[in-house]
């Protein structure tokens, strides 16, 4: 029985673990701080199984809060700190969170919560953040440390809201074993081993599983260090990579596109980087070539999803490359391509990616119906993504079986956006699709049928949506139409709208 929080144990005391806002935290300091906060949370009544929400950008506060919450045996629930109050309220209510730790970026969302409608007992904020009814997170430090609570592999460690393989957003349940297994699987992949001497750029949001487990979890497990970056700016990120001698960069395609387009960028900016990987969305050959030509570093593409904790496949960093491929399965991860009849496909024929392994999640929080759709009785995860495999076993994504929209690597499900827009009294019907975007990969576009006799404005609807959803989920364009195309069964034909 091993708690995920134990990944920081056993590393040299003076080795750097985190760099946040220019301050270096060693592993000895990190262990002490996490232990103190673990004690503070325990004294507040946090017990194994309780849900602790963390709304913070990429900084020391998030890392320490995450490790402390998991170490008490509680279930950590990282959430987007820029979520509007309505979205945060919905997520906290869905999992009956007991504690919310809110960083400065989440001040507005935390202040706008209807505490009376939630199970929240404590809202903890750092010094300088003023939220009515909150308590000082600093008061949880300085006291006696609490021991790490033993957890079994199948004990729940993290809840992450995701669009899932179908339907509206729901909380994916990841266990201690799921997260630790994927760390071990990545470390076992040929050419992917992370050493204690590595320095990773931690710019991927930590409320997203890619940043949470592939960057933070993997690096801390290896005794490496993570340079935490709260907001991505391509030019300043290049400065950070150069100044901190970053060796590992994990990003989403829009990041690499932005770097390739920076005016006057030093071509040696990535001189210290030994491995650059891309995930969360398909990487175009055009972006890959432009980045490599400019900085001399190839991008290795991979594939994963929240429900797999998250990495499923990765291109081998060494040996011949296939730039448009998502690579081969990690050691310990089984992958099948399955046709509509449930049979395995042949090489070159498209099929839905099915995944099985100790990294595959246990289901969606209190949603048996969605869990049964996602998981087969014998443990295969139906991803909804369509791929082909070549004779060498390399996989290539060719389509998505679901209507998921991927904006800058973040999943957006049309139904969630449609539900938000339908709350506006001037909207009679709406359909949402993803459209190509030069910077974010895809953008959200809505087709709206106004209520008869009502005059609604595009900016008004976009602003209305922003009060209910995170900004990246909101439409960037709204088209007003008289009707929506429908099939014979009355279902909206999104493909026609695209």
């Amino acid at each position: 029985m091993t708690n995920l929080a134990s990944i920081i144990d056993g590393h040299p005391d003076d080795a750097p673990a985190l760099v946040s806002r220019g301050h270096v935290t060693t592993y000895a300091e990190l262990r002490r701080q996490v232990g103190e906060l673990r004690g503070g949370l325990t004294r507040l009544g946090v017990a194994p199984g309780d849900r602790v929400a963390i709304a913070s950008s990429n900084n020391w506060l998030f890392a320490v809060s995450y490790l402390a919450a998991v170490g008490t045996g509680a279930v950590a629930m990282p959430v987007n700190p820029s979520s509007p109050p309505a979205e945060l309220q919905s997520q906290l209510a869905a999992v009956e969170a007991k504690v919310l730790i809110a960083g400065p970026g989440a001040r507005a969302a935390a202040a706008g919560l209807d505490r009376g409608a939630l199970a929240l007992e404590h809202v903890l904020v750092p010094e300088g953040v003023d939220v009515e009814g909150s308590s000082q997170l600093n008061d949880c430090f300085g006291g006696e440390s609490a021991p790490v609570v033993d957890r079994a592999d199948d004990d729940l460690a993290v809840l992450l809201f995701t669009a899932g393989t179908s339907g509206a957003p729901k909380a994916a349940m990841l266990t201690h074993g799921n997260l630790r297994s994927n760390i071990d699987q990545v470390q076992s992949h040929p050419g992917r081993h992370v050493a204690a001497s590595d320095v990773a750029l931690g710019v991927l949001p930590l409320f997203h599983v890619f940043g949470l487990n592939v960057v933070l979890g993997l690096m801390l497990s290896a005794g490496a260090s993570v340079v935490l970056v709260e907001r991505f700016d391509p030019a300043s990120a290049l400065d950070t990579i150069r100044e901190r001698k970053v060796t590992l960069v994990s990003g989403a395609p829009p990041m690499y596109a932005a770097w390739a387009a920076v005016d006057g960028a030093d071509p040696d900016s990535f001189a210290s980087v030994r491995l650059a990987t891309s995930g969360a969305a398909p990487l175009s050959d055009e972006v890959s070539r432009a980045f490599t030509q400019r900085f001399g570093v190839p991008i290795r593409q991979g594939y994963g999803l929240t429900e797999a904790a998250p990495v499923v496949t990765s291109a081998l960093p060494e040996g011949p490359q296939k730039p448009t491929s998502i690579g081969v399965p990690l050691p310990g991860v089984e992958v099948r391509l399955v046709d509509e009849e449930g049979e395995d496909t042949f090489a070159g024929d498209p099929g839905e990616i099915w995944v099985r392994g100790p990294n595959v999640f246990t289901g969606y929080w209190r949603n048996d119906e969605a869990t049964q759709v996602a998981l087969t009785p014998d443990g295969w995860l139906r991803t909804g993504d369509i791929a082909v495999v070549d004779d060498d076993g390399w996989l290539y994504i060719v389509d998505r079986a679901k209507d998921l929209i991927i904006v800058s690597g973040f999943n957006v499900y049309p139904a969630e956006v449609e539900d938000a827009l339908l709350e506006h009294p001037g909207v009679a019907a709406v359909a949402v699709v993803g459209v190509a975007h030069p910077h974010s990969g895809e953008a959200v576009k809505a087709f709206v049928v106004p209520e008869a006799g009502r005059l609604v404005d595009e900016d008004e609807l976009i602003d209305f949506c922003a009060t209910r959803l995170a900004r990246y989920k909101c439409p960037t364009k709204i088209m007003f139409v008289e009707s929506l195309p429908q099939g014979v069964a009355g279902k909206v034909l999104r493909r026609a709208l695209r």
Side-chain angles (χ1 to χ4, degrees), residues 403-481:
D403 293 320
L404 193 66
I405 304 167
I406 301 180
V407 179
S408 296
F410 296 108
N411 292 349
V412 180
Y413 205 81
E416 182 183 18
V417 185
E418 290 164 356
D419 288 345
L421 287 170
L422 284 170
E423 292 182 26
H424 192 285
V427 175
V430 60
V432 167
V433 299
V435 294
H437 190 278
H439 303 303
S440 59
E442 285 187 297
V444 179
K445 184 175 182 178
F447 293 82
V448 169
V449 179
E451 285 284 0
R454 289 293 300 264
L455 181 63
V456 286
D457 177 79
E458 182 177 13
D459 290 340
E460 175 190 355
L461 290 184
I462 293 174
D463 291 343
F464 178 83
C465 200
T467 65
R468 287 155 172 77
L469 301 172
R471 178 60 68 174
Y472 70 87
K473 298 179 182 179
C474 297
T476 58
K477 181 63 181 176
I478 292 179
M479 298 291 293
F480 293 100
V481 295

Side-chain angles (χ1 to χ4, degrees), residues 46-394:
V46 174
D50 288 340
R51 275 74 67 196
V52 176
I54 305 168
S56 172
S57 53
N58 288 20
N59 53 36
W60 170 91
L61 171 66
F62 182 101
V64 173
S65 299
Y66 170 61
L67 293 167
V70 174
T72 65
V75 181
M77 188 184 79
V79 294
N80 187 345
S82 63
S83 293
E87 185 173 55
L88 182 59
Q89 178 93 18
S90 174
Q91 293 175 343
L92 295 175
V95 303
E96 298 177 350
K98 185 172 187 175
V99 174
L100 168 64
I101 300 175
R107 178 191 289 108
L113 294 174
D114 178 5
R115 294 275 299 276
L118 296 172
L120 272 180
E121 295 182 11
H122 304 281
V123 175
L124 304 177
V125 296
E127 187 176 2
V129 177
D130 183 22
V131 175
E132 185 178 354
S134 65
S135 302
Q136 283 294 305
L137 180 65
N138 295 16
D139 293 341
C140 292
F141 290 93
E144 186 176 350
S145 174
V148 174
V149 176
D150 282 343
R151 294 278 84 183
D153 281 352
D154 58 358
D155 281 329
L156 188 57
V158 171
L159 286 168
L160 288 171
F161 275 86
T162 173
T165 58
S166 64
K170 52 192 76 74
M173 299 187 293
L174 294 172
T175 67
H176 289 260
N178 292 152
L179 295 161
R180 287 201 319 271
S181 292
N182 203 234
I183 289 172
D184 293 341
Q185 289 161 345
V186 173
Q187 281 288 63
S188 300
H189 200 52
R192 284 296 303 265
H193 184 78
V194 175
S197 58
D198 277 315
V199 180
L201 183 70
V203 68
L204 288 168
L206 295 177
F207 63 82
H208 189 282
V209 69
F210 193 2
L212 183 70
N213 210 39
V214 181
V215 179
L216 185 65
L218 176 59
M219 298 306 127
L220 294 180
S221 176
S225 61
V226 184
V227 181
L228 295 170
V229 178
E230 299 189 57
R231 184 181 297 275
F232 176 68
D233 172 76
S236 61
L238 292 179
D239 293 337
T240 298
I241 291 169
R242 184 171 52 253
E243 293 167 3
R244 293 291 177 179
K245 294 181 172 53
V246 168
T247 62
L248 302 175
V249 174
S250 296
M255 290 170 52
Y256 290 107
W259 276 324
V262 173
D263 290 335
D266 185 344
D268 292 329
S269 295
F270 282 74
S272 62
V273 176
R274 68 174 183 86
L275 180 60
T277 59
S278 178
L283 176 70
S284 72
D285 194 36
E286 179 184 6
V287 168
S288 180
R289 284 199 312 268
F291 176 86
T292 301
Q293 287 172 1
R294 186 158 195 192
F295 298 109
V297 177
I299 305 172
R300 309 308 189 193
Q301 192 171 185
Y303 166 79
L305 63 167
T306 300
E307 291 84 351
V311 187
V312 174
T313 70
S314 179
L316 302 175
E318 300 172 350
Q321 289 294 308
K322 303 184 180 187
T324 59
S325 173
I326 58 172
V328 298
L330 299 184
V333 178
E334 298 178 79
V335 172
R336 297 171 58 193
L337 298 185
V338 179
D339 62 22
E340 293 181 356
E341 283 72 46
E343 301 294 330
D344 291 335
T345 62
F346 296 102
D349 291 337
E352 183 183 6
I353 300 174
W354 285 20
V355 181
R356 186 167 66 178
N359 57 310
V360 171
F361 82 145
T362 58
Y364 297 109
W365 177 261
R366 295 179 181 172
N367 194 330
D368 291 340
E369 182 179 355
T371 298
Q372 290 169 9
V373 171
L375 292 173
T376 68
D378 54 350
W380 287 97
L381 169 64
R382 305 180 181 99
T383 70
D385 292 313
I386 309 300
V388 297
V389 63
D390 66 16
D391 292 334
D392 298 323
W394 288 60

